[in-house]
Amino acid sequence: MSNGYHIVVCGSVVPDPLQTLEPIETPAGPALKNEMLLPAVLDPWAAHALYEAANLAAHAAGSKVWLVSLGARAKLRQVMMTIAQKVSFELVPIDGPASGFIDAHATAALLAEAIQSITGLDRSRLLLFGGWESASRGAGVTMQLIGERLGILDQFQGVDQLTMQPDGAFEILERIEGGRHQVSLCQGPPALFGWATGNLPEPRNNPQIGMANMRAIMPALQRAKTVAPAPDALRYRSASPPKQQRQTRIVKNLSAEEIAREIVAWIEKA
Amino acid sequence: MSTATRHKLEMLRTLPSDAARQIQWSFADRYELQMLVQSVRAVARGPVARLVAQGGRNTHEWTPAKAEMLEAFDQSGITAVFMDPEQGGFIAGPRNLALALVAFELAWVDGGAATASLAGCLALAPIHERGTPEQQDRYMKLAAPPQPGEDRKPWRGAFCLTEPIPYVGVDTGMLDGKIRIVEWKPGEEPILQVEKRGRFITNIGFANFVTAAVDSGDDRIKGSCMVILEEGDPGIFDRGTATKKMVHQLSSTGDPIFNLRVPASRIVGGYDIKDGVLVPRYSHSEVIEAVFRRTRVTVGVMTAAKLLSAVEPVIRYQRGRFRGAATATPGSVRYEMGLQAREDALHRLVDVWATGEASASLAFAAARAFDELDPLEREADRIIAERGVSGTRAKAKFLRQVSDEAASLLRLMPGDPRREKLQSDTLMRFVTLDSLADILCPAAKLWNTGWGAQMMREAVSLMGGYGITEDCPGFLGNKWMDAQLEATYEGPEAVQRRQLSVTMTNPVFLAQLRNWIREMRGIASERPGTGACTLATAMTMWLWTLERLQHSTDSDGGKLYQSARQGVTFPLADALCWLLAARCQILDVLELDRRGAQDSSVAEGLSGLVNFLTDLCHVQTARAGGEAARICAELVFGYNRHPAWDEEGYRGCYQQDELDALEGFVPGIAACATDVIAGDGSHPSKAGPCAKCNGAEQFLTLHSKLATCLTGSRLAKDRAAEAVSKLMIPEVLDYPA
């Protein structure tokens, strides 16, 4: 494609998965304990989408990547110190709540609005990327909702691979049951891709890319519009972490097969 | 607001975030440094940690796995930190704080990795500080990592000082290595023969060039110099055997032998020819002085990082200590709190944490001071040259005059309009900051590594036997051992004490110290929980002691404060370090309190974090005040001869019959008298009559005041301990162990 793609990646920040994530009740509804104080990372599903976007852009001259991100400005800023060093993109930040308890419809509306306001975005060349799931709490519908709001009809979810064809079409591998992929062909943009893990490793930090990105990211963060989700859009009756059970037994004389058999038996019993 | 009230409001909720640290250590406005931190952290807690966990430290040799670490440094921007943007770097301007942050992040996981990174900078530093433009251009570009599309390997460097073999880290003034002229054709550049044996030379296993210190072995060369040796130079470039060091095994260290022919243009900074003699523009000691006064700060940072890195693994260990035991059932105190149900375990961890905070604050303050000083120094040099002052002595004399004026101005009361010159005049600013840098650098190196090593041992001991196993989370045993080398790198402790003993008597510094006493009192009135008042009293006592020692003699008439009397000067330098670190710690917490609310990710838990860090300040100032008081008391009284039970001693004692007679006039006097000689000549069972405090009454008043200043410091420790037992930590450490 001669003019390249306009790739918009939707992705926000989530607490570092190594942290203790403890739901608590607040006057505003459920939240994670100390969430603002915990270190954050770019949602791993969205991060895969971003790396795939950058890779695609690198192979299609004239392409450009935007990262549209809804989150607390201070958190976005911290996360950018890492992400901005990995690939080239322009940040479109929206200063607002990004916890896993925010209604996917409200989030999708805010993101779609932000995408529509991107200056110079050519909708006929638009590829909308995002995570198929989210590490904060997988509603699994946000990307579809954004696509609907933007009128993008070609939508693919659980994408692991996107291959450009000589005629400008895409071959897409989507995850289906049984560890298999469904192969689809898409004529080209506009299209939406909810990424699974993709195939690319996490790019190494490159401070030169970081310095170039940050010249635009810092002013963008300062200009970020502050938003609030629609009140009473969603109510939770309760929130609790998945139950964990730990039983440790030290064995020295069992083979791997015997240990595996014992674990399977334990799971079946549980 | 009283500390008790603060405590009730909010407690520490999580470990301090990056955003909070950025504010504390004054780089919240510098995104290039924040990116650098993230980049280095990814390397440290990724490839470096995996290398350590896989046993990479279990060999002295330079291995392919260790070499991969250097490639990770190149790819992540660590190698390029030292370079200017036009040389392949990405950070413009002074980079002392940047290098300190690199050292902090790498040493958080492994000191040897930090050393491997810093040693490359150390090799380039002589060229960076004193090299000719041609030398700077050549070696900086060669050492810069390849840019995209470039196909080359970056050059690595080693710095070779070395005292007479076989010793290591003894005296930087005694050189091993000679330089001679072997060929000098008329009108051409002399060719030099450089013979040098190195010992404990970092990076030598892979270095492509070496900056080596050598002395003249030829009447036609004056003095000493530093010279650049390259791998391909004609002659012997033998990397020697790997040093069998017991620490920092991720850095390559060896004992090389060089016997090489090089052109005279390799002399760092160039040379002049005077009366047929080759005169290097900089002696090796001049180059080293410019280099070490900056690079020593980063070594101090390393130990600070290790102490702070120990907090999380120790907390996790303490909490989980009894889990798995039959008697520790979920819900029981033993299960839920583990060792943290014990006050001592918490108090000792608070001590480790407080030391880590103080040492990080001190080292980062030093790094920032050099970032400010670097351009100021160049500007001062320009002004001095413009005024026609040249030559080392003339320059020193000129700067002495500026310093005298600066000291006078610093002694004026705050608000005096004449003080404005201290800010507006470049030379005034230079001598003021220079005097401070002269203190901060050796103090950070000396105290952070020396006391840091002691506290690292404490951290290891908090893990019990687990602490000295290879599978101890956080590699704490390694970090403890490594700290001993950090105390030696770039000049052992005696060198730092020696420097401090000279620079801490600079009137410009002493005038600033007096102002700090006022500053601390002011802080104390606003924030009594910081321990700033304790620190002010301790600083007053230290100053009193210095002045006393400078004008006193021992009981044999020997002058006390003098160069050779290291028993006097060195402990006083130690005492000063405690005070400097505590002051920096307080200032950093105040900065966080002032600016934290501007960052929403910090604001939420700010009050709890500040309360906790304030309590750590109080704990640390109490310790610092106690150490200073102990040292000062020893120095003030220790050089007086103790009275003995002899004729002279008896003269100061009561006779029993004399006392009996006095009792009729002054009832009760006999009960107060301690030194009484009985009628049969016998005396109380002790060393002699009690010593008097003639002339030291003011000291005793200060000493007593300092003791009462400690009021509340243990309550602060109790609060900090409680906070440590309740704060939320991650589920697991973010690097393998």
Side-chain angles (χ1 to χ4, degrees), chain A residues 29-52:
Chain A
L32 289 180
K33 188 178 177 183
N34 297 327
E35 184 166 357
M36 274 303 280
L37 302 178
L38 300 177
V41 296
L42 185 64
D43 191 322
W45 301 90
H48 292 307
L50 179 64
Y51 307 148
E52 293 285 349

Side-chain angles (χ1 to χ4, degrees), chain A residues 16-22 32-39 72-75 77-78 80-82 84-86 95 204-212 214-215 218 244, chain B residues 13-15 17-19 22 28-32 34-36 38-40 42 75-77 88-90 147-148 599-602 604-606 728-734:
Chain A
D16 184 326
L18 295 179
Q19 302 295 324
T20 303
L21 304 180
E22 186 182 335
L32 289 180
K33 188 178 177 183
N34 297 327
E35 184 166 357
M36 274 303 280
L37 302 178
L38 300 177
R73 189 199 315 256
K75 283 284 168 202
R77 186 180 186 282
Q78 290 295 328
M80 285 306 122
M81 296 308 157
T82 301
Q85 298 190 64
K86 297 193 176 294
D95 182 18
R204 286 198 181 95
N205 289 340
N206 182 331
Q208 304 284 4
I209 291 176
M211 292 297 283
M214 290 308 282
R215 285 187 199 105
M218 292 304 285
Q244 292 180 54
Chain B
R13 288 153 65 179
T14 62
L15 293 166
S17 65
D18 279 339
Q22 288 156 12
D29 300 326
R30 298 190 59 184
Y31 65 76
E32 81 279 23
Q34 293 167 30
M35 285 198 300
L36 175 66
Q38 297 303 325
S39 199
V40 181
Q75 287 157 357
S76 63
F90 58 97
Q147 297 296 310
D599 185 315
S600 62
S601 68
V602 177
E604 189 175 307
L606 182 64
M728 199 166 102
I729 61 168
E731 296 283 322
V732 291
L733 205 58
D734 63 353

Side-chain angles (χ1 to χ4, degrees), chain B residues 402-417:
Chain B
V402 179
S403 294
D404 288 345
E405 190 184 350
S408 303
L409 294 176
L410 283 163
R411 281 192 282 267
L412 296 172
M413 289 301 288
D416 189 308

